[in-house]
């Protein structure tokens, strides 16, 4: 079965891609939006993930990979939400900014652009390829 592709957002002052590279892996927790939580539950080991810096920078800056599928989020006292574990794969050769993504007609249907408040969203294989192209990969 082919891997699904994903995008996760993090504020760089909270947890930047450089932090993930330094740590080697991290628990992706604290997601409290039901739609985003469903995306976490759908992630499988080996799925590639675009790492997006939100608030400051507003750009896709790296690629990560799912290394542990959904498990109970220890930061959720109610026990309703899940977390996954991610590891870094590589920084992008060139960051892909939000402005560039919005200006690209090939990305017009991208979930992240249509539902900008979601911290975890799916990325189609075509969108993934286009972002890789824009990044000079």
């Amino acid at each position: 079965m082919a891997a699904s592709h994903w995008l996760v957002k993090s504020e760089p002052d909270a947890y930047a891609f450089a932090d993930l590279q330094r740590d080697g892996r991290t628990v992706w927790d604290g997601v409290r939006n039901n739609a985003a939580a469903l995306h976490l539950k759908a992630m499988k080991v080996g799925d590639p993930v675009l790492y997006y810096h939100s608030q400051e920078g507003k750009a896709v800056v790296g690629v990560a990979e799912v290394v542990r599928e959904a498990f109970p989020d220890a930061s959720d006292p109610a026990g309703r939400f899940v977390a996954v574990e991610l590891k870094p794969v590589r920084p992008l050769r060139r960051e892909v900014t939000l402005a560039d993504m919005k200006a690209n007609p090939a990305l017009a249907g991208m979930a992240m652009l249509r539902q900008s408040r979601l911290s975890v969203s799916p990325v189609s294989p075509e969108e993934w390829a286009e972002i890789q192209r824009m990044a000079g990969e």
Side-chain angles (χ1 to χ4, degrees), residues 56-112:
E56 192 174 312
K58 295 186 179 179
V60 177
V61 298
V63 176
E65 181 180 307
V66 177
V67 293
R68 183 176 174 199
E69 294 176 15
F71 57 93
D73 183 340
S75 73
D76 175 20
R80 292 181 42 225
F81 292 97
V82 299
V84 298
E85 279 190 40
L86 302 177
K87 73 172 185 178
V89 174
R90 68 181 183 285
L92 291 180
R93 184 172 297 153
R94 194 170 49 244
E95 294 182 357
V96 179
T97 68
L98 177 61
D100 289 341
M101 291 167 57
K102 285 182 173 182
N104 187 329
L107 301 177
M110 192 169 179
M112 182 237 169

Side-chain angles (χ1 to χ4, degrees), residues 19-88:
D19 296 323
L20 178 59
Q21 289 179 292
R22 176 198 66 221
D23 296 345
R25 66 191 299 152
T26 193
V27 173
W28 203 262
D29 60 3
V31 174
R32 298 295 182 263
N33 176 284
N34 288 322
L38 286 173
H39 297 317
L40 286 179
K41 288 178 183 177
M43 289 179 165
K44 301 295 180 204
V45 169
D47 282 354
V49 179
L50 294 172
Y51 200 104
Y52 178 87
H53 281 170
S54 61
Q55 300 299 316
E56 192 174 312
K58 295 186 179 179
V60 177
V61 298
V63 176
E65 181 180 307
V66 177
V67 293
R68 183 176 174 199
E69 294 176 15
F71 57 93
D73 183 340
S75 73
D76 175 20
R80 292 181 42 225
F81 292 97
V82 299
V84 298
E85 279 190 40
L86 302 177
K87 73 172 185 178

